[in-house]
Amino acid sequence: MSFNVSSAETDSSPSSGTPSTVPTEPQSDAEDVAQKSEENGTSHRRRASTVLISQNSADMQRVLQNVGAPGTQKIQPLCCGGGCCRSQPLIRGDGPVSGVVVTPPQNKAYDALELNVDLLTMDSELTDVVDLPAKTVSFAAVPASAVEMQLGPKDHPPPFVQPHPPYNVYRAPLHHARELTKSGAEKRTYHFDIDVTDYPAESGNVDFVVGGAIGVCPMNKEEEVDDIFNCLGVPKSIRDKKITVRTSTGRWPTIWGDEQARELITTRRELLNWCSDIQSYSPSKELFRLLGEYASEPNEKKILLFLASAQGQGAFCDLRTASHVSVSQLLHAFPSSQPPLDHLLSVLNTLMPRFYSLSQDPLLSSAQKGGQSRRLVEVAVSVAESKDWKGGLRTGVGSGYLERLARQVMEAERQGIDPSTLNLHVPMFRGLMANPLAKRFHSDGPMLLIGAGVGIAPFRGFVQRRLQSANCANKVWVLQGVRDSLLDELYRGEWGVDEEKVRTVVQSRRGESRYVQEEVRHQADLVWYVINALDGRVFVCGSGKGMGEGVEAALVDVAMAKGNLNEDEAKLFWDNKKEAGQYIAETW
């Protein structure tokens, strides 16, 4: 690593005959310049324009220690957090590589990892290999008293999965689902009407509120689960057979239960379906160490242990910063590794619930079913996608799970079948309704709502609630960012108001091609009026990268222009508004 040094900093004073900066090492070029200068009758040596401060990981650690917190903070945004600066690279001599060169597996899954193991040989010394992770999960036969025990429905998590203890996950009927975006939209977004009429009472007198969010416990994709079973050699005859699972410590598989040993009746499929995340997290060194322990093919074992060592730190970090690698891909990439399922479950991360903001006023949404009024909550979900090693794209765990439910509803309607006959359910829970949008919503005072994509969904409920109060007329404005209003403008005509009076839609791919942050600058007068009004509030919701950062920068520009502030003062202004609860940003 090198830092540029300005000429003002390097020029020596007229009375000085030596440079003020240390010459760059090695000095061969500088010495040549000095020799030529002496031949021309001058004694000054040419100074390098840069100073080399790092040639290896040890130098980098020394630099980080010397520059202190400010320097470390500047480097931190560019760091993957994997400890690359602590790597110990394989050293290759001038001659040919000694030993037998490792032969990588020849399969598509391994090729997609794009690992660089060119210098790795079978006799390469690997240091600081992580310890084999402890086996905290074990299986046993069920006791005689549990042989006739009936487990819960297959489309619902087992009762010990409790993201909101001591309350169970509610099996909410899916009343309806539809796609909000049109064919050709860059991201698919779906709307869900979920029946919560019979949601059980919970302590604390908590109810669904405007701006609140529900938690959904998703199920891993069935094909992925079966693929893992196949790779591990788990016979089909025992995948759904009841077992006793024992854990020696931790919260798994309960999500938020106490950290303690447990003994539960379940099945292998239930555990892999509902309790362990098989695709959302970057692979850990402990996982590579486990796969290496059980790899029977020597070349695969060497590569896996390399990834768990100090020498493989660079390759490991490359995997961390790329698209998340699924467990299925790793098992296909290293087919000789077949760790026991219970040991694998000891290493995998817990499958956590996904949270989705309500897209309506929960006091207003209802539907008639069987002559009775049913209470509904509504959410909008955009499908997250990433490249799949098999080709094409794979969906996120939560959004992919909900998309599969939505498509069943849509396919039934296409065939003229009543979707209610499908008996579809969403495993959800209400939680505390304590997210920022829910806590900061107030029914009075001017309000500016800024969002893009699915981030606009909760603001629909804000507008619906505001329209119930005559005092709030002409006190709410919406700036909505979309790519193409013909394809991905969400909830057009569904705001319950003359939308042209309260909502401005900004397109980034059509027409004037303007982003929502540019509209914020264009509406500087409105922004400044709202944030300085009594009980005025500015809400921002959407993706933190791009939109969220862009809107924050635009708000700073507005404060600088309208408040006659410098940049630091403008940032402090919005920080103070955030502390006062007038500027609320919920980004992801």
Side-chain angles (χ1 to χ4, degrees):
M1 177 180 288
S2 60
F3 294 132
N4 289 331
V5 182
S6 66
S7 59
E9 293 171 327
T10 58
D11 284 347
S12 57
S13 62
S15 60
S16 173
T18 58
S20 59
T21 57
V22 179
T24 304
E25 297 289 348
Q27 300 181 7
S28 57
D29 291 340
E31 290 170 352
D32 290 342
V33 173
Q35 184 176 357
K36 292 179 181 179
S37 298
E38 291 174 359
E39 293 174 355
N40 294 331
T42 62
S43 60
H44 285 289
R45 292 172 60 187
R46 181 179 177 181
R47 293 179 296 279
S49 60
T50 59
V51 177
L52 182 66
I53 65 171
S54 172
Q55 288 183 297
N56 51 48
S57 60
D59 287 347
M60 195 66 245
Q61 292 181 51
R62 172 180 53 78
V63 170
L64 292 178
Q65 291 167 358
N66 291 338
V67 298
T72 305
Q73 290 170 359
K74 289 183 179 180
I75 296 174
Q76 191 173 16
L78 305 176
C79 178
C80 71
C84 308
C85 62
R86 300 185 181 276
S87 65
Q88 299 176 21
L90 294 165
I91 300 176
R92 181 173 182 174
D94 296 333
V97 177
S98 61
V100 179
V101 178
V102 166
T103 303
Q106 301 298 312
N107 60 68
K108 188 175 181 180
Y110 179 85
D111 293 342
L113 296 177
E114 298 182 346
L115 291 175
N116 183 3
V117 293
D118 293 343
L119 299 181
L120 184 63
T121 65
M122 295 302 292
D123 60 356
S124 293
E125 181 181 357
L126 302 178
T127 60
D128 294 335
V129 177
V130 299
D131 295 333
L132 182 67
K135 184 171 175 288
T136 59
V137 179
S138 61
F139 299 151
V142 295
S145 59
V147 171
E148 302 299 327
M149 175 182 173
Q150 296 296 316
L151 300 180
K154 294 183 178 180
D155 65 345
H156 195 71
F160 51 77
V161 173
Q162 288 188 331
H164 184 44
Y167 309 108
N168 293 325
V169 176
Y170 179 59
R171 190 166 180 258
L174 178 58
H175 180 76
H176 192 254
R178 56 192 169 95
E179 187 172 358
L180 294 174
T181 49
K182 303 295 189 297
S183 177
E186 187 168 316
K187 280 191 174 183
R188 301 182 302 280
T189 302
Y190 295 88
H191 173 88
F192 296 86
D193 297 297
I194 302 172
D195 190 338
V196 293
T197 307
D198 300 320
Y199 194 93
E202 296 174 352
S203 63
N205 196 28
V206 177
D207 198 2
F208 298 97
V209 299
V210 172
I214 62 169
V216 174
C217 291
M219 182 175 71
N220 284 315
K221 194 174 182 179
E222 185 176 355
E223 293 82 356
E224 287 289 303
V225 170
D226 280 329
D227 191 35
I228 291 175
F229 279 140
N230 293 336
C231 290
L232 297 179
V234 178
K236 292 183 179 180
S237 59
I238 67 172
R239 297 176 185 180
D240 298 285
K241 186 178 180 180
K242 287 198 295 289
I243 57 171
T244 299
V245 59
R246 297 189 179 101
T247 63
S248 59
T249 185
R251 290 190 172 100
W252 188 89
T254 66
I255 299 183
W256 290 119
D258 294 332
E259 294 198 20
Q260 62 183 31
R262 288 180 172 80
E263 185 171 308
L264 304 165
I265 305 298
T266 182
T267 69
R268 292 173 175 84
R269 187 179 296 279
E270 266 193 345
L271 294 175
L272 210 49
N273 273 348
W274 299 100
C275 303
S276 293
D277 199 317
I278 58 177
Q279 71 170 63
S280 302
Y281 292 91
S282 301
S284 64
K285 283 196 172 185
E286 288 74 17
L287 177 57
F288 287 124
R289 178 66 179 85
L290 176 68
L291 295 177
E293 181 71 15
Y294 291 99
S296 58
E297 203 283 319
N299 291 277
E300 293 182 18
K301 179 184 285 288
K302 191 69 177 184
I303 295 173
L304 288 164
L305 294 180
F306 168 70
L307 291 170
S309 71
Q311 285 71 26
Q313 186 69 43
F316 172 72
C317 289
D318 288 341
L319 288 178
R320 284 174 56 89
T321 54
S323 296
H324 296 323
V325 178
S326 67
V327 175
S328 172
Q329 180 178 354
L330 291 178
L331 293 175
H332 279 280
F334 303 97
S336 76
S337 180
Q338 293 186 328
L341 178 61
D342 50 2
H343 206 166
L344 179 63
L345 294 175
S346 302
V347 176
L348 297 181
N349 292 91
T350 301
L351 181 56
M352 301 300 290
R354 272 56 175 171
F355 291 87
Y356 302 100
S357 297
L358 302 184
S359 63
Q360 104 291 12
D361 183 345
L363 297 181
L364 299 179
S365 185
S366 63
Q368 294 294 320
K369 183 178 180 181
Q372 295 182 340
S373 178
R374 309 296 296 179
R375 187 182 185 189
L376 305 177
V377 293
E378 304 174 21
V379 296
V381 178
S382 281
V383 180
E385 292 183 313
S386 59
K387 290 184 179 180
D388 186 32
W389 67 273
K390 299 175 184 177
L393 300 172
R394 75 162 186 254
T395 58
V397 176
S399 59
Y401 168 68
L402 290 172
E403 182 182 41
R404 292 192 291 275
L405 291 178
R407 286 185 170 178
Q408 291 183 62
V409 172
M410 294 163 60
E411 179 61 22
E413 289 184 330
R414 191 183 67 82
Q415 297 181 10
I417 301 173
D418 183 359
S420 63
T421 62
L422 301 178
N423 196 31
L424 299 177
H425 295 81
V426 177
M428 53 81 65
F429 59 96
R430 180 170 52 203
L432 299 176
M433 291 285 149
N435 57 304
L437 295 184
K439 291 194 298 183
R440 295 299 185 181
F441 175 80
H442 286 260
S443 58
D444 202 3
M447 180 182 292
L448 176 61
L449 312 173
I450 306 169
V454 76
I456 205 70
F459 296 154
R460 177 169 166 254
F462 283 29
V463 173
Q464 291 173 345
R465 175 62 63 87
R466 279 303 187 92
L467 293 178
Q468 298 177 61
S469 173
N471 294 331
C472 294
N474 302 320
K475 286 188 178 181
V476 58
W477 297 268
V478 180
L479 301 183
Q480 179 178 359
V482 301
R483 294 181 179 87
D484 185 334
S485 62
L486 299 180
L487 300 178
D488 56 12
E489 181 184 342
L490 306 186
Y491 294 119
R492 177 188 290 181
E494 299 183 42
W495 292 77
V497 67
D498 186 354
E499 297 181 13
E500 293 184 357
K501 294 182 179 179
V502 301
R503 193 167 65 102
T504 300
V505 178
V506 184
Q507 304 179 82
S508 61
R509 304 283 174 87
R510 288 178 64 90
E512 297 180 5
S513 185
R514 178 186 293 176
Y515 289 95
V516 69
Q517 52 263 39
E518 297 175 78
E519 185 64 20
V520 169
R521 294 184 178 92
H522 182 69
Q523 300 276 5
D525 290 336
L526 174 62
V527 174
W528 198 242
Y529 159 71
V530 171
I531 198 60
N532 288 292
L534 181 65
D535 290 331
R537 283 173 172 77
V538 173
F539 289 84
V540 178
C541 188
S543 172
K545 291 185 178 180
M547 176 269 176
E549 295 171 351
V551 168
E552 184 173 342
L555 292 174
V556 169
D557 290 344
V558 169
M560 292 172 64
K562 294 298 179 180
N564 195 26
L565 307 174
N566 61 37
E567 185 175 359
D568 290 338
E569 291 171 337
K571 290 180 178 179
L572 180 60
F573 171 84
W574 287 107
D575 287 341
N576 291 336
K577 291 297 183 181
K578 185 175 292 186
E579 290 182 8
Q582 288 185 270
Y583 169 43
I584 303 94
E586 186 166 305
T587 57
W588 53 85

